[in-house]
Amino acid sequence: MHNQLRFIIAAAALLAANAALAQDAKVGSLVGDVHQGQQVYRRYCIGCHGARGDGLGDNAPWVDPKPRDFTSATFKCRSTPTGTLPTDEDLFNTIGRGLHATAMPSWGALTKQQRINLVAYIKSFSPRFKEEKAGDPIPIPAESPATAESVHRGAELFQKMNCWSCHGKQGHGNGPSSVGLTDSKGFPITPYDFTSTSQFKCGEGSHDLYRAFMTGLDGTPMPSFADSLEPSAAWDLVHYVQTFGTSKGRVKPVPAGTIRASAPENRPSPADSKDKAKAGGGSEQQ
Amino acid sequence: MQIPVLKRAVAALFVAVVVSLASRPAMAIPAFARKYGLPCSACHEAWPKLNNFGQTFRDNGYQLGNDRDAPIYQNPSYFPSTVRITPQWHMENSGRTAVDAVPGNASSGLVESRNIRSSGFDLSGFDLWTAGTVSKNISFLVLPSADATAAFHFESFWVRFDNLLGTHWLNLKVGKHELDLPVSEKRELTLSNDGANYQVYHFAPGNPLLPLGNGQVNGFGLGNNQLGLELSGHSHNSYTRYAFSLVSNTDGQPNLPSSSGYDFYAHLSQAVELPHMGLQRFGVLGFRGVVPTYFQTANGAVISGSGAGDRSFYRAGAYGIWYLGKFDLSTVFMHGQDSAFLATGTPSTQVLPAGGRSATWNGGFAELHYNPNPQLVLVGRYELIRMAQQGFPLGTLLTNNHPLFARFGNIDNYVLGYRWYPIMISRGGLAWHQEYSWLRSLGTAPLSGLNVAGSSYMMGFDVAF
């Protein structure tokens, strides 16, 4: 009798634990399943992000930047304000896109169902997803025309908002404040080198760039400028940042010296000299 | 005059099809796992079988699109070449075989032994290879491969120009390459002698060992790597794929051994994701090849490469690969035809034997996998080949004085096995492999004209680093 009761209680506890684990995820008509997500995670993700989701997988020592620790629920790529949880769709998109210039590849070759299952499973690593709701996606007003004037205004904002202090005047990521930056886990981090590519971690579209500085990349020194930038100014910055990239761009390249700052960086840094070597060799080496 | 030729060949008839090649390299590249810090299971459903993520990586020219693609990428954990070998114990049953009545006495006359059994510890062939990128969007693969006695040959060697004109719809591969088959025979999950080959990829109804003219043999197999060009392309996630190959008609042999004819191969496939089931892929393929029916000779000796009188053969197929959760089923159907000259072994300069005509056949297999977790896979396959039309008139007497019948040479083959992967990391792979296979061909016993059924059993460790 007693034993039976104990069994029932144990079974109930197990069910409750399972229910708690059943962190759902939804994007459109896709619904994620935690348990199936776990299977997919074991196959593809465990080597970097670790069995406990703490970013300490077998390969983590050889990966830089380090794989994300999911237990803290801090994510770089969000559509939601800084400090809030990402939406399921944010995570879903990140998994499909991968994080450019890191070891995290695009998992777009997995089925959508596998990806939404992964979202559900990743969320189960942090209690925050049970306690809080995802933030509300920031509004993104219609993009202003990418004219030369817009680029010009963006260039001025790049100065005024001190973007250059980290990203460097020529976007090489070697501004004076770039030295010794660390992320929230204490690992060294360098500001994005805008000139190396036209791809960004959180997407390459202009909306993705807009989001990057209006939501910030949480867990990194890249802050959110939502409080200090008007939407129209943010679009100007988007257009300016896009001129750095290697893609032919939507905006015609502007003559050096007019808009792109051509002055040498204020202070040489190790990153700086590396950068120079790169620039010296012509446009783009491997 | 044709009939004795046919008779001589009967003992070996169709057996060629079922004899597995001594070393048939199967591909899995732990060097990539080390380079990218991914476990084998990221690219392989169960290695060496690729999943769609691995297929996409391959289609992209061994590029993942992240920071590690660069050919100069260096890391202490990255050793850029891969070895694979399978130490094993196996047992082979040959089925009915012709033997001397008195062993060692060639003049004692042939009798038919019901079976010859051999077993023991053994090695598989050995692959030693490297692959990757020479620069962005130029990838390569080099695979010297040895048989169990360490005699090497070039199994595969190619360079590939990826993403031409900036689109993944255009990639050009040059060299000895695997045809883009529906189910790869280089990355299959079965290894035993009777189970390692897909019969539909090697079967030739025109009697593969029949000496054509001056001894030329049509040993063509879709499953063999071929020498030439491959133009291919794929959608972003490789759901849509095409490949077109133009290859020399040498069945992948270097040094231009046959004629100057060319063969063509084309393959088109589409995958769709069905809710709660997974990825379903279906496609069509076709191959058209030519084989010389005679050679120029000097004092009777064949001059290599001088083949002439090319006659054609083709293979056409359709397939589907179906996923249902942890199960997946590959179903492949193939139809083949060899021209009358190939099917009867007649040089094109001569007239066909009376009643000689093209030989046609249909075949297919269904291979089921159960993959409960990345560390275990169960495999079962059934395959058959059915002759639709024999090249010689039915009733023609074979060497054993039995008349040719419609179903002569039909093949049935089944394989059961499993692979367990105790080590599933991004350094290398170790799999415990156990497999049983059974193969029967109708009416091909050398003397009695009965069916020949053989089998293989193997177990061993498959090691790839």
Side-chain angles (χ1 to χ4, degrees), chain B residues 60-62 132-135 137-141 158-162:
Chain B
N60 279 325
Y62 300 142
T133 51
V134 184
S135 87
N137 286 330
I138 300 183
S139 34
F140 73 99
L141 181 146
W158 49 256
V159 269
R160 185 176 186 264
F161 303 93
D162 312 309

Side-chain angles (χ1 to χ4, degrees), chain A residues 39 42-44 47-48 58-59 62-64 100-114 286, chain B residues 37-39 41-42 44-45 51-53 56 64 66-68 75 237 239 273 279 326 371-372 374 425-427:
Chain A
Q39 305 273 342
R42 276 209 205 142
R43 173 180 283 278
Y44 296 100
C48 286
D58 287 347
N59 296 312
W62 291 278
V63 173
D64 183 24
H100 184 73
T102 78
M104 166 79 181
S106 155
W107 299 98
L110 305 193
T111 63
K112 293 193 179 99
Q113 187 62 48
Q114 284 175 311
Q286 344 212 338
Chain B
L38 294 172
S41 62
H44 298 277
E45 195 89 41
N51 58 28
N52 194 53
F53 184 78
T56 309
L64 215 49
N66 72 2
D67 70 331
R68 301 203 167 180
N75 181 302
N237 54 11
Y239 279 15
E273 178 183 351
L279 212 57
K326 291 171 177 170
N371 198 194
I425 52 169
S426 52
R427 299 284 173 278

Side-chain angles (χ1 to χ4, degrees), chain B residues 11 52 111 113 122 160 170 195 329 369 388 439 457:
Chain B
N52 194 53
V111 295
S113 157
D122 204 358
R160 185 176 186 264
L170 278 184
L329 179 68
H369 303 138
L439 196 149
Y457 169 73

Side-chain angles (χ1 to χ4, degrees), chain A residues 256-268:
Chain A
T258 55
I259 293 173
R260 273 196 201 188
S262 55
E265 305 295 347
N266 292 9
R267 184 156 62 90

Side-chain angles (χ1 to χ4, degrees), chain A residues 152-228:
Chain A
H152 198 98
R153 286 194 300 273
E156 281 164 1
L157 281 164
F158 198 74
Q159 288 284 338
K160 205 175 100 201
M161 306 297 293
N162 275 334
C163 309
W164 64 274
S165 69
C166 289
H167 290 285
K169 289 201 168 147
Q170 290 167 347
H172 289 303
N174 58 354
S177 310
S178 68
V179 189
L181 288 180
T182 54
D183 67 13
S184 58
K185 300 205 78 177
F187 295 114
I189 188 169
T190 47
Y192 213 79
D193 178 353
F194 297 138
T195 61
S196 63
T197 165
S198 51
Q199 282 183 297
F200 297 92
K201 286 192 177 173
C202 301
E204 54 188 288
S206 28
H207 282 69
D208 302 312
L209 274 182
Y210 183 98
R211 257 191 299 261
F213 30 86
M214 297 304 253
T215 68
L217 271 59
D218 283 3
T220 82
M222 171 68 196
S224 158
F225 292 90
D227 296 335
S228 42

Side-chain angles (χ1 to χ4, degrees), chain A residues 235-265:
Chain A
W235 279 123
D236 291 339
L237 262 178
V238 168
H239 298 146
Y240 179 61
V241 169
Q242 280 171 337
T243 63
F244 289 122
T246 53
S247 83
K248 311 297 165 283
R250 305 169 323 131
V251 183
K252 299 231 163 56
V254 272
T258 55
I259 293 173
R260 273 196 201 188
S262 55
E265 305 295 347

